[in-house]
Amino acid sequence: MSATIHTPLSEDAALVATLVSTAIPFSHCAEDEAERWLRALRLHGQVGAALQGLGVGEAPLETEADALCDEPSTTPPLGKAAIDRALGEAERHAAGRGATTIGTADLMCGLLDVYGELLDRSLEARGATRAEVLERLGELEEHPERT
């Protein structure tokens, strides 16, 4: 993880970014990368609470990386550049809401910007949509006692 960002990451966001930065080099396609981000996010911070509230829990993800990446329509891995870009987008989202730290919600928004439809498909495979996650994150921001 070496993106040049100026806003510090929250503990949860830093943990997620660190976990994923060690996992991304083993990804075989961008779809696999999106899965790895989701796997880390669902356990940490506001995004973890939102995903778990939507039923995306700690059960093992069912998609096998090899099967996922064997599809003819897969996207080549985005690699470290995607991590840097996601962190940059997360910082932009945090700045837009006047935050002094980048949280997991900012990170999720950055990832939706970078991975777009690929992350949408990962969410939908678990019965959640982008709109539901963003709505839940909005509720959690309005009522932080729910996290």
Side-chain angles (χ1 to χ4, degrees):
M1 193 175 68
S2 66
T4 304
I5 58 172
H6 305 294
T7 306
L9 295 163
S10 69
E11 285 183 35
D12 288 323
L15 179 59
V16 168
T18 300
L19 288 170
V20 174
S21 70
T22 62
I24 289 287
F26 300 100
S27 298
H28 302 287
C29 61
E31 289 82 356
D32 185 25
E33 291 175 2
E35 290 278 330
R36 291 170 191 260
W37 278 107
L38 187 56
R39 198 173 293 141
L41 277 167
R42 69 183 176 167
L43 299 176
H44 302 285
Q46 281 189 311
V47 173
L51 292 173
Q52 289 174 31
L54 291 168
V56 180
E58 295 183 44
L61 299 177
E62 297 173 15
T63 308
E64 295 287 329
D66 292 336
L68 185 65
C69 295
D70 284 343
E71 296 293 320
S73 62
T74 58
T75 308
L78 304 178
K80 184 190 170 312
I83 297 170
D84 293 344
R85 187 169 160 225
L87 290 172
E89 291 297 318
E91 182 174 41
R92 186 176 63 78
H93 283 278
R97 62 183 183 84
T100 57
T101 59
I102 298 168
T104 58
D106 302 309
L107 191 52
M108 182 66 161
C109 290
L111 291 168
L112 288 166
D113 291 342
V114 172
Y115 287 95
E117 187 179 308
L118 302 178
L119 194 56
D120 288 339
R121 279 190 255 152
S122 290
L123 287 167
E124 288 169 9
R126 276 148 206 80
T129 66
R130 171 194 296 240
E132 291 171 328
V133 172
L134 294 176
E135 180 180 342
R136 185 61 64 107
L137 287 171
E139 291 170 6
L140 293 174
E141 193 168 295
E142 290 174 17
H143 306 282
E145 70 278 359
R146 294 184 187 172
T147 56

